[in-house]
PDB file of all heavy atoms in Angstrom:
ATOM      1  N   PRO A  35     169.612  63.829 -45.122  1.00  0.00           N
ATOM      2  CA  PRO A  35     168.386  64.633 -45.008  1.00  0.00           C
ATOM      3  C   PRO A  35     167.174  63.819 -44.559  1.00  0.00           C
ATOM      4  O   PRO A  35     166.220  64.348 -44.022  1.00  0.00           O
ATOM      5  CB  PRO A  35     168.171  65.181 -46.424  1.00  0.00           C
ATOM      6  CG  PRO A  35     169.076  64.434 -47.325  1.00  0.00           C
ATOM      7  CD  PRO A  35     170.127  63.767 -46.497  1.00  0.00           C
ATOM      8  N   ALA A  36     167.203  62.500 -44.752  1.00  0.00           N
ATOM      9  CA  ALA A  36     166.016  61.674 -44.522  1.00  0.00           C
ATOM     10  C   ALA A  36     165.709  61.526 -43.033  1.00  0.00           C
ATOM     11  O   ALA A  36     166.552  61.781 -42.167  1.00  0.00           O
ATOM     12  CB  ALA A  36     166.241  60.294 -45.135  1.00  0.00           C
ATOM     13  N   LEU A  37     164.483  61.070 -42.746  1.00  0.00           N
ATOM     14  CA  LEU A  37     164.051  60.835 -41.369  1.00  0.00           C
ATOM     15  C   LEU A  37     164.414  59.402 -40.975  1.00  0.00           C
ATOM     16  O   LEU A  37     163.584  58.489 -41.042  1.00  0.00           O
ATOM     17  CB  LEU A  37     162.537  61.049 -41.250  1.00  0.00           C
ATOM     18  CG  LEU A  37     162.055  62.492 -41.428  1.00  0.00           C
ATOM     19  CD1 LEU A  37     160.526  62.550 -41.467  1.00  0.00           C
ATOM     20  CD2 LEU A  37     162.592  63.385 -40.306  1.00  0.00           C
ATOM     21  N   VAL A  44     163.358  54.253 -42.315  1.00  0.00           N
ATOM     22  CA  VAL A  44     163.311  55.591 -42.911  1.00  0.00           C
ATOM     23  C   VAL A  44     161.837  55.975 -43.042  1.00  0.00           C
ATOM     24  O   VAL A  44     161.062  55.246 -43.669  1.00  0.00           O
ATOM     25  CB  VAL A  44     163.971  55.603 -44.312  1.00  0.00           C
ATOM     26  CG1 VAL A  44     163.977  57.022 -44.883  1.00  0.00           C
ATOM     27  CG2 VAL A  44     165.390  55.036 -44.244  1.00  0.00           C
ATOM     28  N   ALA A  45     161.455  57.109 -42.461  1.00  0.00           N
ATOM     29  CA  ALA A  45     160.050  57.539 -42.535  1.00  0.00           C
ATOM     30  C   ALA A  45     159.828  58.327 -43.825  1.00  0.00           C
ATOM     31  O   ALA A  45     160.502  59.338 -44.071  1.00  0.00           O
ATOM     32  CB  ALA A  45     159.683  58.374 -41.323  1.00  0.00           C
ATOM     33  N   THR A  46     158.874  57.850 -44.622  1.00  0.00           N
ATOM     34  CA  THR A  46     158.534  58.552 -45.874  1.00  0.00           C
ATOM     35  C   THR A  46     157.030  58.864 -45.939  1.00  0.00           C
ATOM     36  O   THR A  46     156.555  59.435 -46.895  1.00  0.00           O
ATOM     37  CB  THR A  46     158.892  57.677 -47.099  1.00  0.00           C
ATOM     38  OG1 THR A  46     158.248  56.403 -46.956  1.00  0.00           O
ATOM     39  CG2 THR A  46     160.397  57.481 -47.219  1.00  0.00           C
ATOM     40  N   ASP A  47     156.293  58.444 -44.916  1.00  0.00           N
ATOM     41  CA  ASP A  47     154.832  58.549 -44.901  1.00  0.00           C
ATOM     42  C   ASP A  47     154.445  59.446 -43.721  1.00  0.00           C
ATOM     43  O   ASP A  47     154.702  59.093 -42.564  1.00  0.00           O
ATOM     44  CB  ASP A  47     154.282  57.121 -44.729  1.00  0.00           C
ATOM     45  CG  ASP A  47     152.769  57.047 -44.676  1.00  0.00           C
ATOM     46  OD1 ASP A  47     152.122  58.093 -44.517  1.00  0.00           O
ATOM     47  OD2 ASP A  47     152.243  55.930 -44.765  1.00  0.00           O
ATOM     48  N   VAL A  89     158.185  71.567 -45.561  1.00  0.00           N
ATOM     49  CA  VAL A  89     159.498  71.160 -45.029  1.00  0.00           C
ATOM     50  C   VAL A  89     159.649  69.638 -45.164  1.00  0.00           C
ATOM     51  O   VAL A  89     160.683  69.118 -45.599  1.00  0.00           O
ATOM     52  CB  VAL A  89     159.660  71.599 -43.552  1.00  0.00           C
ATOM     53  CG1 VAL A  89     160.858  70.920 -42.895  1.00  0.00           C
ATOM     54  CG2 VAL A  89     159.789  73.114 -43.455  1.00  0.00           C
ATOM     55  N   ALA A  90     158.581  68.920 -44.803  1.00  0.00           N
ATOM     56  CA  ALA A  90     158.646  67.452 -44.836  1.00  0.00           C
ATOM     57  C   ALA A  90     158.857  66.930 -46.252  1.00  0.00           C
ATOM     58  O   ALA A  90     159.648  66.015 -46.482  1.00  0.00           O
ATOM     59  CB  ALA A  90     157.352  66.876 -44.244  1.00  0.00           C
ATOM     60  N   VAL A  91     158.142  67.538 -47.206  1.00  0.00           N
ATOM     61  CA  VAL A  91     158.206  67.034 -48.590  1.00  0.00           C
ATOM     62  C   VAL A  91     159.507  67.477 -49.273  1.00  0.00           C
ATOM     63  O   VAL A  91     160.148  66.686 -49.972  1.00  0.00           O
ATOM     64  CB  VAL A  91     156.959  67.535 -49.379  1.00  0.00           C
ATOM     65  CG1 VAL A  91     157.096  67.266 -50.870  1.00  0.00           C
ATOM     66  CG2 VAL A  91     155.696  66.880 -48.828  1.00  0.00           C
ATOM     67  N   SER A  92     159.888  68.726 -49.060  1.00  0.00           N
ATOM     68  CA  SER A  92     161.027  69.245 -49.837  1.00  0.00           C
ATOM     69  C   SER A  92     162.372  68.940 -49.185  1.00  0.00           C
ATOM     70  O   SER A  92     163.389  68.886 -49.866  1.00  0.00           O
ATOM     71  CB  SER A  92     160.881  70.760 -50.035  1.00  0.00           C
ATOM     72  OG  SER A  92     160.939  71.409 -48.782  1.00  0.00           O
ATOM     73  N   ARG A  93     162.403  68.697 -47.841  1.00  0.00           N
ATOM     74  CA  ARG A  93     163.697  68.500 -47.173  1.00  0.00           C
ATOM     75  C   ARG A  93     163.877  67.142 -46.523  1.00  0.00           C
ATOM     76  O   ARG A  93     165.005  66.758 -46.235  1.00  0.00           O
ATOM     77  CB  ARG A  93     163.885  69.549 -46.068  1.00  0.00           C
ATOM     78  CG  ARG A  93     164.029  70.953 -46.599  1.00  0.00           C
ATOM     79  CD  ARG A  93     164.154  71.914 -45.434  1.00  0.00           C
ATOM     80  NE  ARG A  93     164.330  73.264 -45.930  1.00  0.00           N
ATOM     81  CZ  ARG A  93     165.461  73.968 -45.821  1.00  0.00           C
ATOM     82  NH1 ARG A  93     166.513  73.467 -45.205  1.00  0.00           N
ATOM     83  NH2 ARG A  93     165.531  75.185 -46.304  1.00  0.00           N
ATOM     84  N   LEU A  94     162.745  66.451 -46.215  1.00  0.00           N
ATOM     85  CA  LEU A  94     162.882  65.262 -45.360  1.00  0.00           C
ATOM     86  C   LEU A  94     162.517  63.951 -46.065  1.00  0.00           C
ATOM     87  O   LEU A  94     162.486  62.895 -45.432  1.00  0.00           O
ATOM     88  CB  LEU A  94     162.004  65.428 -44.099  1.00  0.00           C
ATOM     89  CG  LEU A  94     162.364  66.624 -43.210  1.00  0.00           C
ATOM     90  CD1 LEU A  94     161.319  66.818 -42.114  1.00  0.00           C
ATOM     91  CD2 LEU A  94     163.748  66.431 -42.577  1.00  0.00           C
ATOM     92  N   GLY A  95     162.224  64.041 -47.350  1.00  0.00           N
ATOM     93  CA  GLY A  95     161.960  62.814 -48.106  1.00  0.00           C
ATOM     94  C   GLY A  95     160.586  62.223 -47.902  1.00  0.00           C
ATOM     95  O   GLY A  95     160.370  61.038 -48.189  1.00  0.00           O
ATOM     96  N   ILE A  96     159.627  63.026 -47.430  1.00  0.00           N
ATOM     97  CA  ILE A  96     158.253  62.509 -47.290  1.00  0.00           C
ATOM     98  C   ILE A  96     157.609  62.407 -48.673  1.00  0.00           C
ATOM     99  O   ILE A  96     157.581  63.380 -49.429  1.00  0.00           O
ATOM    100  CB  ILE A  96     157.420  63.432 -46.360  1.00  0.00           C
ATOM    101  CG1 ILE A  96     157.926  63.309 -44.922  1.00  0.00           C
ATOM    102  CG2 ILE A  96     155.924  63.115 -46.461  1.00  0.00           C
ATOM    103  CD1 ILE A  96     157.776  61.929 -44.292  1.00  0.00           C
ATOM    104  N   ARG A  97     157.070  61.216 -48.974  1.00  0.00           N
ATOM    105  CA  ARG A  97     156.475  60.985 -50.303  1.00  0.00           C
ATOM    106  C   ARG A  97     154.967  60.766 -50.235  1.00  0.00           C
ATOM    107  O   ARG A  97     154.286  60.815 -51.239  1.00  0.00           O
ATOM    108  CB  ARG A  97     157.119  59.748 -50.951  1.00  0.00           C
ATOM    109  CG  ARG A  97     158.609  59.945 -51.227  1.00  0.00           C
ATOM    110  CD  ARG A  97     159.104  58.914 -52.221  1.00  0.00           C
ATOM    111  NE  ARG A  97     158.959  57.562 -51.718  1.00  0.00           N
ATOM    112  CZ  ARG A  97     159.919  56.885 -51.082  1.00  0.00           C
ATOM    113  NH1 ARG A  97     161.097  57.446 -50.880  1.00  0.00           N
ATOM    114  NH2 ARG A  97     159.706  55.660 -50.652  1.00  0.00           N
ATOM    115  N   GLU A  98     154.466  60.467 -49.029  1.00  0.00           N
ATOM    116  CA  GLU A  98     153.019  60.229 -48.890  1.00  0.00           C
ATOM    117  C   GLU A  98     152.466  61.058 -47.754  1.00  0.00           C
ATOM    118  O   GLU A  98     153.074  61.111 -46.673  1.00  0.00           O
ATOM    119  CB  GLU A  98     152.750  58.760 -48.533  1.00  0.00           C
ATOM    120  CG  GLU A  98     153.040  57.813 -49.659  1.00  0.00           C
ATOM    121  CD  GLU A  98     152.613  56.394 -49.264  1.00  0.00           C
ATOM    122  OE1 GLU A  98     151.439  56.223 -48.861  1.00  0.00           O
ATOM    123  OE2 GLU A  98     153.466  55.509 -49.338  1.00  0.00           O
TER     124      GLU A  98
END
Side-chain angles (χ1 to χ4, degrees):
L37 292 173
V44 183
T46 55
D47 179 347
V89 167
V91 169
S92 64
R93 293 178 178 249
L94 299 172
I96 290 297
R97 296 197 298 266
E98 290 186 53

